[in-house]
Amino acid sequence: PPYNLVLHTAPLKEQVRARSVTRPREDPSGCDGLHRGHGRRGRCADGLSPQIEDDAWDRVLDTNLTGAFRTTRRALKGMLRARYGRVVNVASVVGPHANPGQANYAASKAGLIGMTKTVAAEVARRGITVNAVAPGYVETEMLNGLNGNLLDAVPAYAERAAAHAAARAMVG
């Protein structure tokens, strides 16, 4: 049978916005799969921990963790009835590793990984898988406006820059 996959890439702080997960246009009975991720620079609020304002902390946690929880919870209702489903959350390598200047982001992605593991254990016996992917540094438009000093603090970026410099030196 055709599968009904729902993609959500925007923040879903409000409970009412998560209701669309179980009512896709093509199949009002629910969804078989859910991909939950976010990648908009407007949701980043980087800064050293003493400088992060409460509203910036809350905004990042609401986007990356609370929104994912509410969306997943809503999608699971139909999946549990169907005894089948797939959930894929987009975490980050920053979750399990330190990244100076991103305490809020790291906390949200570490929380997302923990939530994903917990929900996976809760629903596995009902034919539902819940996983997270944790990509590293990916050069996108989201990073275009960042200054070099901040990018140099990202280990994956620094390693890539060093590899490119070494390759250029070899070529001459």
Side-chain angles (χ1 to χ4, degrees):
Y3 294 106
N4 192 359
L5 176 65
V6 177
L7 303 176
H8 275 280
T9 57
L12 291 171
K13 182 177 176 185
E14 296 86 17
Q15 178 72 24
V16 68
R17 291 172 70 187
R19 289 192 179 127
S20 66
V21 170
T22 56
R23 288 188 308 218
R25 288 179 214 145
E26 301 82 21
D27 181 8
S29 66
C31 67
D32 299 309
L34 170 68
H35 165 272
R36 170 77 180 106
H38 197 276
R40 296 183 189 192
R41 180 138 187 258
R43 302 294 180 238
C44 294
D46 295 343
L48 297 177
S49 297
Q51 300 166 338
I52 297 175
E53 299 289 333
D54 288 348
D55 63 326
W57 176 272
D58 293 342
R59 187 173 58 252
V60 172
L61 271 285
D62 282 346
T63 298
N64 293 333
L65 187 56
T66 303
F69 169 74
R70 289 180 177 168
T71 306
T72 300
R73 178 180 61 190
R74 191 73 174 169
L76 284 174
K77 291 177 182 179
M79 292 177 186
L80 287 167
R81 280 191 301 274
R83 298 188 67 81
Y84 178 84
R86 303 290 183 254
V87 175
V88 179
N89 288 311
V90 180
S92 170
V93 295
V94 174
H97 302 287
N99 200 33
Q102 291 190 315
N104 50 4
Y105 183 77
S108 70
K109 293 302 186 171
L112 181 60
I113 292 167
M115 182 201 81
T116 299
K117 289 179 176 183
T118 300
V119 173
E122 292 172 348
V123 300
R125 290 184 286 174
R126 297 202 171 106
I128 301 167
T129 62
V130 184
N131 293 286
V133 295
Y137 169 81
V138 178
E139 195 167 331
T140 64
E141 287 182 28
M142 184 173 105
L143 301 177
N144 283 347
L146 297 179
N147 69 39
N149 293 337
L150 186 57
L151 284 177
D152 289 339
V154 177
Y157 180 82
E159 290 170 14
R160 192 177 131 253
H164 281 287
R168 280 192 302 274
M170 290 175 69
V171 172

